[in-house]
Coordinates of all heavy atoms in Angstrom, one line a residue:
R64 N 7.5 21.8 -33.4 CA 7.8 23.1 -34.3 C 7.8 24.3 -33.5 O 8.6 25.2 -33.7 CB 6.8 23.1 -35.4 CG 7.0 22.1 -36.5 CD 6.1 22.3 -37.7 NE 6.2 23.8 -38.1 CZ 6.5 24.1 -39.3 NH1 6.8 23.1 -40.2 NH2 6.7 25.3 -39.7
A65 N 6.8 24.4 -32.5 CA 6.8 25.6 -31.6 C 8.0 25.6 -30.7 O 8.6 26.7 -30.6 CB 5.5 25.6 -30.8
T66 N 8.4 24.5 -30.2 CA 9.6 24.5 -29.4 C 10.9 24.8 -30.2 O 11.7 25.6 -29.7 CB 9.8 23.1 -28.7 OG1 8.6 22.8 -28.0 CG2 11.0 23.0 -27.9
L67 N 11.1 24.3 -31.3 CA 12.2 24.6 -32.2 C 12.2 26.1 -32.6 O 13.2 26.7 -32.7 CB 12.3 23.7 -33.5 CG 12.9 22.4 -33.2 CD1 12.7 21.5 -34.5 CD2 14.4 22.5 -32.9
G68 N 11.0 26.5 -32.9 CA 10.8 28.0 -33.4 C 11.2 28.9 -32.2 O 11.8 30.0 -32.5
S69 N 10.8 28.6 -31.0 CA 11.0 29.6 -29.9 C 12.4 29.4 -29.3 O 13.0 30.4 -28.8 CB 9.9 29.5 -28.9 OG 9.9 28.2 -28.3
L70 N 12.8 28.2 -29.1 CA 14.1 27.9 -28.4 C 15.3 27.7 -29.3 O 16.4 28.0 -29.0 CB 13.9 26.6 -27.5 CG 13.1 26.7 -26.3 CD1 13.0 25.4 -25.6 CD2 13.5 27.8 -25.3
G71 N 15.0 27.1 -30.5 CA 16.0 26.7 -31.4 C 16.8 25.5 -30.9 O 16.5 24.9 -29.8
G72 N 17.6 24.9 -31.6 CA 18.3 23.7 -31.3 C 19.1 23.8 -30.1 O 19.1 23.0 -29.2
F73 N 20.0 24.9 -30.0 CA 20.8 25.1 -28.8 C 20.0 25.4 -27.6 O 20.4 24.8 -26.5 CB 21.8 26.3 -29.1 CG 22.8 26.5 -28.0 CD1 23.8 25.6 -27.8 CD2 22.7 27.6 -27.2 CE1 24.7 25.7 -26.8 CE2 23.6 27.8 -26.2 CZ 24.6 26.9 -26.0
G74 N 18.9 26.1 -27.7 CA 18.0 26.4 -26.6 C 17.4 25.1 -26.0 O 17.3 24.9 -24.8
M75 N 17.0 24.2 -27.0 CA 16.5 22.9 -26.6 C 17.5 22.1 -25.8 O 17.3 21.5 -24.8 CB 15.9 22.1 -27.7 CG 14.6 22.6 -28.3 SD 14.1 21.7 -29.7 CE 13.8 20.1 -29.0
L76 N 18.8 22.1 -26.4 CA 19.8 21.4 -25.7 C 20.1 21.9 -24.3 O 20.3 21.2 -23.4 CB 21.1 21.6 -26.5 CG 22.4 20.8 -26.0 CD1 22.2 19.4 -26.0 CD2 23.6 21.2 -26.8
L77 N 20.0 23.3 -24.1 CA 20.2 23.9 -22.8 C 19.1 23.4 -21.9 O 19.3 23.2 -20.6 CB 20.2 25.4 -22.9 CG 21.5 26.0 -23.5 CD1 21.4 27.5 -23.6 CD2 22.7 25.7 -22.6
V78 N 17.8 23.5 -22.3 CA 16.7 23.0 -21.4 C 16.8 21.6 -21.1 O 16.7 21.3 -19.9 CB 15.4 23.4 -22.1 CG1 14.2 22.8 -21.3 CG2 15.2 24.9 -22.3
V79 N 17.2 20.7 -22.0 CA 17.4 19.3 -21.7 C 18.5 19.1 -20.7 O 18.4 18.3 -19.7 CB 17.6 18.4 -23.0 CG1 18.1 17.1 -22.6 CG2 16.4 18.4 -23.8
A80 N 19.6 19.8 -20.9 CA 20.7 19.8 -20.0 C 20.4 20.2 -18.6 O 20.7 19.6 -17.6 CB 21.9 20.6 -20.4
L81 N 19.5 21.3 -18.5 CA 19.1 21.9 -17.2 C 18.3 20.8 -16.5 O 18.5 20.5 -15.3 CB 18.3 23.1 -17.4 CG 17.6 23.7 -16.1 CD1 18.8 24.3 -15.2 CD2 16.7 24.7 -16.5
F82 N 17.3 20.2 -17.1 CA 16.4 19.2 -16.5 C 17.2 17.9 -16.2 O 17.0 17.2 -15.2 CB 15.2 18.9 -17.4 CG 14.2 20.0 -17.3 CD1 13.8 20.8 -18.4 CD2 13.6 20.3 -16.0 CE1 12.9 21.8 -18.2 CE2 12.6 21.3 -15.9 CZ 12.3 22.0 -17.0
A83 N 18.2 17.5 -17.1 CA 19.0 16.3 -16.8 C 19.8 16.5 -15.6 O 19.9 15.6 -14.7 CB 19.8 16.0 -18.0
A84 N 20.4 17.7 -15.5 CA 21.2 18.0 -14.2 C 20.3 18.0 -13.0 O 20.7 17.5 -11.9 CB 21.9 19.4 -14.4

Side-chain angles (χ1 to χ4, degrees):
R64 286 187 56 120
T66 301
L67 276 172
S69 65
L70 293 176
F73 185 68
M75 284 180 66
L76 181 67
L77 286 175
V78 172
V79 168
L81 176 71
F82 284 116

